[in-house]
Amino acid sequence: MPSTGAVLIKLQDLARSYGQGSATVNALRGVSLDIAEGEFVAIMGPSGSGKSTCMNIMGCLDTPTGGHFYFRGLDVGALSNDQRALLRRHYIGFVFQGYNLLPRTSAIENVELPLIYRQMGARERRALALNAMRQVGLAGWENHAPNELSGGQQQRVAIARAIVTAPALLLADEPTGNLDTARSLEIMNLLIHLNRSEGITIVMVTHEPDMAAFAQRIVRFKDGEIETDQLNSKAA
Amino acid sequence: MFLETILLAFRAIRRNALRSTLTALGIIIGVAAVTALVTIGNGTTQSVVSGVSRLGSNLLSVRSGEPGGAPGSARSTARPFNAADAAAIADQIGGVKAVAPIASAKVTSVVGNENWETSVAGTLNTYFEAGQWTLASGRLFTDGELHAGNPVCVVGETVRQHLFGKSDPIGQALRLQRIPCTVIGLLASKGAGAFGMDQDDIVIIPLRAFQRRIAGNVDVDFINVAARADTATAKVKRDVENLLRERRRIGTGQRDDFSVFDMTEISSTLSNITTVLTGLLSAVAAVSLLVGGIGIMNIMLVSVTERTREIGIRLAIGALRRQVLAQFLVEAVVLSLFGGLIGVAIGLSVAAAMAGWLNVPFVFEPTVVVGSFVFSGLVGVLFGYFPARRAANLNPIDALRHE
Ligand SMILES: Nc1ncnc2c1ncn2[C@@H]1O[C@H](COP(=O)(O)OP(=O)(O)OP(=O)(O)O)[C@@H](O)[C@H]1O
Ligand SMILES: [Mg+2]
């Protein structure tokens, strides 16, 4: 499903600095970017260019020190901690490079985790989690703990956890960074599928041009600023 | 959500079963110590109070020897009393219900092949009244028996058990040293006294029989005086002291060579002492509960550090800070309540065992159980709060990056 046109994320002259005085690091220095509902955007750029910082702000985990971040028109910078947590709970899914699954907890319980905070009954929770596991191709692996799964499988559990709440936005920071090419391609196909058939907006940070090539749009960061912002003609 | 939080806590505790148990150990020991000490303390207090009250309420005991010795201590060499002293107290002091002169000795009593070393008291029927004894069967002495000093006796339950077994003692013969003696009465059991002695281990014979056949003199070792319920024992005590000083010609300024014990006073003093001791010991035990709480805090802090990533994940997927706080707080409370529960169980078992061993009643006090349980919960809240708040205040980004 291509972009429906409505703006999901609007970054307006976004800035984020760390530290004070002479030790100040300007991780983001005036980033303006619009992402529409249904888009699949890849963010690239050298290490330290501010990609993760930008993702954290878009994920409502962090607040900018300058400029504005609007989520569906809502100025997130003005929200309280709890309000941002609720935004995350209802609209955002995360996938990390290091999977970030709860250890010694079965795959299905990991996937159920976000639903617990939605005060959902156990039966409904289980049904949704099973469905998400099926979507990522892990039916039958529900009761395995993360340490019994391969990296690719763990990342798919993480994706299942991110999409089980049917989020509007999926943020993936180097989701294939720990995987070999074959596993990476599997994950990318899964993301493409989620983007197209579920209409989930995806923003993905990657260092690998092969993976970025799956996205409709590629944004390049350099030194906390956007260097280029191009539509990807090669996207399938 | 609350139920979820509790389930979550149980899961986290079970996931680290060994560490959880070790953590709870401090609480377990603390609660067990408090429960056991308070229970034993209460039992001791009760046994002292009921023991003294079983001696007879409003009872004064007059003994020869200087004041300062405890009742039951070795008989002094001071001048003994005689029957006339007791009669004088009965006649001349108001508010007195019963006065019993008593002469006693340890004597081996024999029935057939059975031997039993017991105390024999020579006294009058007033003894039973003053000591609030009742008969299980048989009768008291007749005036004739008392006057003539006939060899008849009333026995206590313990003596009956040892010498007569299952057979009815009434009418049977008993030998006190070489003196044959007919059993005419059996006392209803009173159980252990205030100082651990068995009050039922006694044979009572007429005073004259004792003086003539066992002691070989006319001495009276002590005099029990029961005051009437409407009379203050302190006043009777003073009157008895004055009368005896007069009768024994003790001039002003001279020290008494006898002493009057007020059993009620002793009872309350003793129960105060045991209550204070129980309180002190429990306070010491409560300190160990506090130490147990610090143990919980320590482990919870380690746990928060160890689970920093988990906290980051929870925050990222939309947990509110107060939900993370609740999670860790509930975990600490569940852990300490679990410790409290086990501690109460151990404490009560230890108390029950010790009660049997120390021969004091096992007094199950629900407030002690509820109290230590609630206290351990409070310890959990108190010492769980700081680590829980640390967890809740973590920055999700840093937490997610934590190795
Ligand atoms: N918590 C922080 N405190 C101080 N400086 C930080 C912090 N987080 C990031 N920075 C700095 O901000 C800049 C941008 O970091 P960021 O993590 O966004 O880079 P990145 O583009 O994601 O790099 P990489 O590709 O290596 O992941 C870096 O210079 C980094 O040192
Ligand atoms: Mg990064």
Side-chain angles (χ1 to χ4, degrees):
Chain A
M1 196 171 74
S3 145
T4 57
V7 175
L8 178 65
I9 285 173
K10 186 177 190 66
L11 305 182
Q12 209 171 61
D13 206 19
L14 199 72
R16 176 68 165 103
S17 56
Y18 296 102
Q20 285 165 341
S22 58
T24 306
V25 177
N26 291 308
L28 294 176
R29 31 179 119 209
V31 171
S32 295
L33 181 70
D34 283 4
I35 297 176
E37 305 252 8
E39 269 194 291
F40 187 160
V41 180
I43 295 180
M44 301 192 72
S47 191
S49 57
K51 306 183 294 293
S52 293
T53 305
C54 191
M55 290 286 273
N56 288 338
I57 292 174
M58 289 194 283
C60 304
L61 288 169
D62 198 7
T63 44
T65 47
H68 293 278
F69 161 43
Y70 299 96
F71 187 89
R72 283 190 170 154
L74 193 69
D75 189 353
V76 175
L79 298 182
S80 73
N81 231 319
D82 279 358
Q83 286 170 320
R84 279 188 286 120
L86 291 175
L87 262 186
R88 293 197 294 273
R89 181 185 295 180
H90 291 284
Y91 300 108
I92 300 171
F94 291 94
V95 177
F96 306 94
Q97 178 176 356
Y99 323 131
N100 275 334
L101 299 175
L102 294 191
R104 282 162 294 179
T105 305
S106 68
I108 190 87
E109 283 177 322
N110 264 291
V111 176
E112 280 183 44
L113 200 60
L115 300 177
I116 289 178
Y117 292 105
R118 292 189 161 200
Q119 330 243 341
M120 195 175 276
R123 196 183 299 248
E124 195 184 349
R125 226 161 54 203
R126 184 54 53 117
L128 284 178
L130 282 171
N131 188 43
M133 288 289 283
R134 215 173 15 250
Q135 271 185 286
V136 300
L138 278 182
W141 293 88
E142 286 85 1
N143 293 319
H144 290 252
N147 62 340
E148 298 161 0
L149 298 172
S150 73
Q153 286 173 321
Q154 287 186 58
Q155 194 59 299
R156 281 192 275 162
V157 173
I159 292 172
R161 182 181 65 193
I163 62 165
V164 73
T165 57
L169 174 66
L170 181 71
L171 296 172
D173 197 344
E174 301 188 43
T176 60
N178 286 1
L179 301 175
D180 63 30
T181 312
R183 267 0 96 196
S184 298
L185 291 176
E186 278 176 26
I187 295 295
M188 290 317 300
N189 282 321
L190 181 55
L191 291 181
I192 286 285
H193 168 78
L194 290 171
N195 176 247
R196 298 236 172 110
S197 60
E198 308 290 323
I200 299 174
T201 308
I202 299 180
V203 180
M204 175 187 75
V205 170
T206 183
H207 282 286
E208 298 157 88
D210 291 351
M211 304 306 144
F214 283 86
Q216 300 158 346
R217 181 177 168 196
I218 300 174
V219 178
R220 282 176 203 280
F221 274 59
K222 192 176 183 204
D223 294 335
E225 290 174 355
I226 293 181
E227 191 186 33
T228 61
D229 180 354
Q230 301 165 317
L231 286 180
N232 180 14
S233 49
K234 281 183 283 177
Chain B
M1 193 65 222
F2 185 65
L3 191 74
E4 291 291 347
T5 314
I6 289 182
L7 286 178
L8 202 68
F10 272 113
R11 204 173 294 158
I13 287 167
R14 214 185 40 216
R15 217 179 281 157
N16 280 303
L18 178 65
R19 196 177 67 188
S20 303
T21 313
L22 288 176
T23 308
L25 204 58
I27 298 282
I28 292 174
I29 292 173
V31 170
V34 172
T35 312
L37 282 172
V38 172
T39 306
I40 285 293
N42 285 343
T44 310
T45 308
Q46 198 189 69
S47 113
V48 166
V49 171
S50 68
V52 172
S53 75
R54 271 191 306 242
L55 285 174
S57 57
N58 294 335
L59 187 69
L60 300 177
S61 186
V62 188
R63 305 189 178 223
S64 60
E66 287 193 9
S73 66
R75 226 182 327 142
S76 70
T77 51
R79 274 183 295 168
F81 302 108
N82 54 46
D85 290 322
I89 293 172
D91 291 345
Q92 295 173 34
I93 295 177
V96 165
K97 188 171 70 176
V99 178
I102 302 158
S104 77
K106 280 272 179 204
V107 164
T108 307
S109 46
V110 183
V111 171
N113 292 328
E114 304 292 334
N115 277 289
W116 183 245
E117 169 97 3
T118 182
S119 51
V120 173
T123 185
L124 309 176
N125 280 337
T126 45
Y127 177 86
F128 304 105
E129 193 183 348
Q132 292 176 336
W133 285 99
T134 51
L135 285 176
S137 62
R139 60 172 179 84
L140 299 181
F141 306 120
T142 63
D143 286 346
E145 284 163 349
L146 288 168
H147 192 75
N150 288 347
V152 289
C153 62
V154 174
V155 298
E157 175 62 21
T158 306
V159 174
R160 183 197 66 74
Q161 276 171 18
H162 282 96
L163 294 181
F164 297 101
K166 288 192 171 59
S167 65
D168 181 9
I170 307 296
Q172 297 208 49
L174 174 94
R175 268 192 301 123
L176 299 171
Q177 287 169 340
R178 282 170 310 281
I179 303 131
C181 196
T182 309
V183 178
I184 58 164
L186 174 66
L187 293 170
S189 173
K190 271 192 179 189
F195 314 103
M197 80 273 200
D198 180 2
Q199 297 189 90
D200 296 329
D201 188 7
I202 195 162
V203 173
I204 297 156
I205 64 174
L207 177 62
R208 285 212 173 142
F210 184 93
Q211 289 173 331
R212 206 172 294 156
R213 297 168 194 249
I214 295 174
N217 58 35
V218 292
D219 293 349
V220 164
D221 299 319
F222 39 98
I223 303 170
N224 281 357
V225 180
R228 279 207 310 261
D230 59 1
T231 311
T233 48
K235 182 188 173 297
V236 177
K237 180 179 173 189
R238 219 172 321 115
D239 291 347
V240 169
E241 278 167 352
N242 288 338
L243 178 67
L244 287 177
R245 279 175 73 86
E246 202 177 292
R247 286 181 65 83
R248 289 159 84 83
R249 301 208 164 70
I250 300 167
T252 41
Q254 271 179 285
R255 290 176 61 109
D256 289 349
D257 64 353
F258 65 92
S259 28
V260 183
F261 297 97
D262 182 339
M263 291 306 178
T264 322
E265 199 180 297
I266 291 171
S267 159
S268 65
T269 307
L270 280 176
S271 79
N272 281 347
I273 291 173
T274 52
T275 307
V276 168
L277 277 180
T278 306
L280 274 178
L281 287 172
S282 311
V284 171
V287 169
S288 71
L289 248 180
L290 227 59
V291 174
I294 292 171
I296 288 219
M297 176 153 74
N298 192 6
I299 297 292
M300 289 307 293
L301 279 174
V302 171
S303 174
V304 166
T305 310
E306 218 183 67
R307 288 154 67 191
T308 300
R309 243 169 199 274
E310 173 188 330
I311 295 161
I313 293 165
R314 289 179 185 279
L315 288 170
I317 63 175
L320 302 180
R321 294 200 178 278
R322 63 168 176 274
Q323 290 174 320
V324 173
L325 183 93
Q327 180 191 338
F328 280 84
L329 204 54
V330 166
E331 205 173 306
V333 171
V334 166
L335 201 57
S336 51
L337 284 183
F338 160 80
L341 206 64
I342 296 183
V344 165
I346 293 180
L348 287 181
S349 324
V350 167
M354 289 221 325
W357 185 54
L358 294 173
N359 202 12
V360 298
F362 174 75
V363 183
F364 176 77
E365 178 102 58
T367 51
V368 174
V369 173
V370 173
S372 11
F373 198 62
V374 167
F375 192 61
S376 54
L378 283 179
V379 164
V381 172
L382 194 69
F383 293 99
Y385 184 75
F386 174 60
R389 217 193 50 185
R390 253 177 88 133
N393 287 343
L394 282 174
N395 177 334
I397 301 165
D398 295 341
L400 280 168
R401 246 194 242 139
H402 189 266
E403 284 314 310

